[in-house]
Amino acid sequence: MTDDRPTWARRIAAERAARDWSQRKAVRALRAHAPSELPAEDSMIRQWKRWESGQMPNEFYQPIIAATFGTVTHAIFPAPSRRDGESEILAATGMETLEIVSRLGKSDVDNATLDALRITADRLSSEYPYMPSEQLLIEGRQWLRRVVELHKKSLTLAQHREVLALSGWLALLVGCVEYDTGNRHAAEATRGAALSLANEADNAEVAGWAHEMRAWFALTTGDYRGVVAAAQAGAEAAPHHGVAVQLAAQEAKAWARLGDRRQVEVALDKGRRMLEGMPHPENLDNHFVVDPSKFDFYSMDCYRLVGEDKIARTLAEEVLRAGTDFDGHERSPMRNAEARVTLGVTAAREGDLEQALAMGERALVGDRKSVPSLIMTSRELAAEMRRRYSSESAAQDYLARLDTLAREKPGFMPR
C-alpha cells in the first residue's frame, strides 16, 4: 500500500524511528524543548498520533518538533513558495543580458544597471548547484571582468561600494567553482581577492563567505583545526548573516572528524538556533543562502561520522528527497552525491555490501560534482570497505576507482 501522508508527517515518524523512540518517549523529548507548559502526557500522545497521521501541527508546535529532532522548522514543514529566478531579471528591470552589457560600456552607470547586475550575480549563484562547472566558470569570470571594469567609470560613493560588493560575490562564486574542479591554488587566490573586496566595501556578508570558503578548503584537506579557526573568524566578521549558520556547520563537521562529540552538538545547536531565528530565504537556489535543507545536509555528515547511523540515514533520505524533482531530475546533484555516500556507509556498517557499493558508485557519476568534498566523504566509505570487505573483489574495484580519482587531485588527499 502507498503511504499518502504528507512528506512532513512521514519525516516525523522516520525521525522518531531513527532514535528508537516510542510516541510516549517522543512526547517527553518534545516537552524538554517546549518554551512553556504543555498539556498532559496522554493528551500529547494523542496529538502526536494525529501529527504522524497527517494533521498539520500549528505554528506553536512546529518549531518545538523541529528542535526535538535537531533541525529547524522549514526543514520539516512547508515554507512559502520561492520565486522564479530565471525570469526575475527581465521582470524586475526589463533588461536582457545584451542590454546590460551595452549599458556597461557607457561613461556613467545608473542604478538600474547596478540592479540588473545584482540580479545577474544572484542568477549565477543560483545556477551553481547544477550548471556544468566549465560553463559556469566561463560565465562567472566574464561577468567578474565586466563588473571590475566599472571601477574605472564615474561612480557615486554608494555605487562604488555596490560595485565592490558585486565583484566580491562574483569572486566568491568563481572561487567555489575553481575549487570544485580541483584548481586549489587559483581558488585560494580568488578567495583572497573576494575578502579584500569585502573589506574595502565594508561588506560583512561577503567577508563571512570568504572565511567560510577557507573553512571548506581546510576541511577537505584535513586541516580540522584550521576549519575551527576559519569558522570562528567568519562568525566574528558576519555574526548576523546566514553565513554564520554555515560556519557553525563547518565547525561541527571538523569537530566530528576530530572525534569530539560534545563540540559537534554545541556547534550544530548554535547553527540551528541561529537559522530558526532568521527569515526564510526568498531564493533557496542561491549557493550563498543557507536554507533548512542545507542544514540537514551538514547534520547528516556529522551524524554519519559520530556513528548515529539511523539518524544519518534518515537525513540522507531527506536530502535526496529535497534535492530531486518529482520526475527524477536532480536539482542538487552535489548534495545528493554525498547523501548517497552516507547511505553507502550505513549500508556497509550493516553488512550490506551490495547496497554500499551501489550507493558509492552512483555518488561518483554525474557531470556536476565538487571533487574535493566527494573525495573526502568517499574516503570515509572506503575506510569501511577496507575494514569489513577487503577480500571482496567488488570492493577492491570500487577502492581502485576511488584511488584513481584521488590521484588526479593530489592536493585534496586528507592529511
Side-chain angles (χ1 to χ4, degrees):
M1 295 179 63
T2 60
D3 188 344
D4 58 358
R5 292 177 298 167
T7 301
W8 60 262
R10 295 198 299 271
R11 179 168 180 187
I12 288 174
E15 291 276 8
R16 178 176 63 79
R19 291 160 174 79
D20 296 321
W21 288 352
S22 64
Q23 290 178 331
R24 185 174 298 276
K25 192 168 183 179
V27 164
R28 290 174 179 172
L30 183 80
R31 197 178 298 279
H33 290 84
S36 58
E37 187 67 22
L38 298 182
E41 188 168 282
D42 287 345
S43 174
M44 285 304 305
I45 292 172
R46 290 192 294 272
Q47 183 64 65
W48 190 281
K49 290 179 184 293
R50 288 193 287 270
W51 293 336
E52 287 198 6
S53 68
Q55 180 177 310
M56 174 72 78
N58 62 31
E59 292 183 358
F60 172 77
Y61 283 111
Q62 287 181 16
I64 306 173
I65 294 168
T68 301
F69 294 128
T71 189
V72 293
T73 303
H74 293 310
I76 297 180
F77 301 102
S81 299
R82 57 187 174 187
R83 63 188 180 181
D84 178 6
E86 294 184 2
S87 60
E88 184 185 1
I89 183 170
L90 187 59
T93 69
M95 286 184 272
E96 295 181 336
T97 298
L98 183 60
E99 183 175 353
I100 299 170
V101 174
S102 67
R103 280 171 168 256
L104 297 181
K106 296 180 179 179
S107 58
D108 295 319
V109 177
D110 59 19
N111 289 332
T113 304
L114 290 178
D115 287 340
L117 286 173
R118 191 183 306 111
I119 297 171
T120 300
D122 181 79
R123 175 184 63 81
L124 289 170
S125 296
S126 299
E127 291 171 344
Y128 172 84
Y130 55 83
M131 182 182 283
S133 301
E134 295 77 9
Q135 180 182 346
L136 185 56
L137 196 56
I138 290 170
E139 193 169 348
R141 285 171 173 167
Q142 286 176 339
W143 280 105
L144 179 57
R145 283 193 292 269
R146 289 166 182 158
V147 174
V148 168
E149 281 295 310
L150 293 181
H151 292 285
K152 300 176 182 178
K153 300 186 181 298
S154 176
L155 301 171
T156 67
L157 180 59
Q159 288 176 332
H160 178 68
R161 292 183 63 180
E162 178 70 15
V163 168
L164 287 171
L166 283 169
S167 301
W169 284 118
L170 289 166
L172 289 171
L173 177 65
V174 168
C176 286
V177 183
E178 287 172 337
Y179 200 71
D180 284 338
T181 55
N183 195 344
R184 178 181 173 186
H185 297 295
E188 175 55 34
T190 308
R191 185 200 72 82
L195 183 58
S196 295
L197 288 163
N199 291 335
E200 189 175 351
D202 194 24
N203 189 299
E205 192 173 11
V206 173
W209 279 107
H211 287 293
E212 192 279 336
M213 286 175 65
R214 183 163 70 93
W216 172 34
F217 297 176
L219 184 73
T220 53
T221 53
D223 180 13
Y224 305 131
R225 296 290 177 182
V227 178
V228 175
Q232 292 174 352
E236 183 177 346
H240 306 300
H241 293 278
V243 65
V245 177
Q246 187 148 322
L247 288 161
Q250 295 284 31
E251 184 177 348
K253 292 173 75 167
W255 286 122
R257 286 168 172 81
L258 288 167
D260 193 328
R261 173 67 179 268
R262 174 58 182 158
Q263 290 295 338
V264 171
E265 293 173 348
V266 169
L268 282 179
D269 190 59
K270 177 173 63 177
R272 184 194 66 77
R273 289 176 182 274
M274 285 191 291
L275 185 55
E276 188 68 84
M278 293 178 178
H280 193 68
E282 291 184 13
N283 182 9
L284 296 178
D285 291 328
N286 191 310
H287 178 61
F288 301 109
V289 165
V290 181
D291 64 276
S293 294
K294 185 181 282 190
F295 193 76
D296 280 346
F297 168 71
Y298 279 102
S299 298
M300 171 196 76
D301 181 270
C302 295
Y303 283 118
R304 181 188 71 246
L305 286 161
V306 300
E308 292 283 359
D309 290 348
K310 290 183 179 179
I311 299 175
R313 184 168 59 246
T314 298
L315 288 171
E317 291 167 350
E318 180 62 24
V319 168
L320 285 170
R321 185 200 65 77
T324 308
D325 286 329
F326 69 93
D327 60 357
H329 173 73
E330 297 200 359
R331 296 193 308 273
S332 305
M334 291 180 286
R335 290 190 206 177
N336 287 0
E338 293 191 41
R340 292 188 175 101
V341 172
T342 293
L343 292 175
V345 170
T346 58
R349 290 171 179 169
E350 292 173 353
D352 190 345
L353 175 59
E354 183 178 355
Q355 176 72 357
L357 287 170
M359 290 293 102
E361 290 284 357
R362 190 169 178 189
L364 297 178
V365 303
D367 295 330
R368 188 65 177 101
K369 59 172 70 77
S370 176
V371 175
S373 296
L374 188 56
I375 289 175
M376 178 184 69
T377 53
S378 294
R379 283 191 169 279
E380 291 160 10
L381 174 56
E384 295 292 339
M385 294 285 190
R386 291 191 178 94
R387 185 178 303 116
R388 301 168 188 270
Y389 309 105
S390 58
S391 61
E392 298 284 348
S393 59
Q396 292 170 1
D397 290 343
Y398 170 76
L399 294 171
R401 183 176 176 187
L402 184 58
D403 285 343
T404 298
L405 179 63
R407 282 197 297 273
E408 292 172 355
K409 308 294 180 184
F412 302 108
M413 301 280 283
R415 289 200 286 267

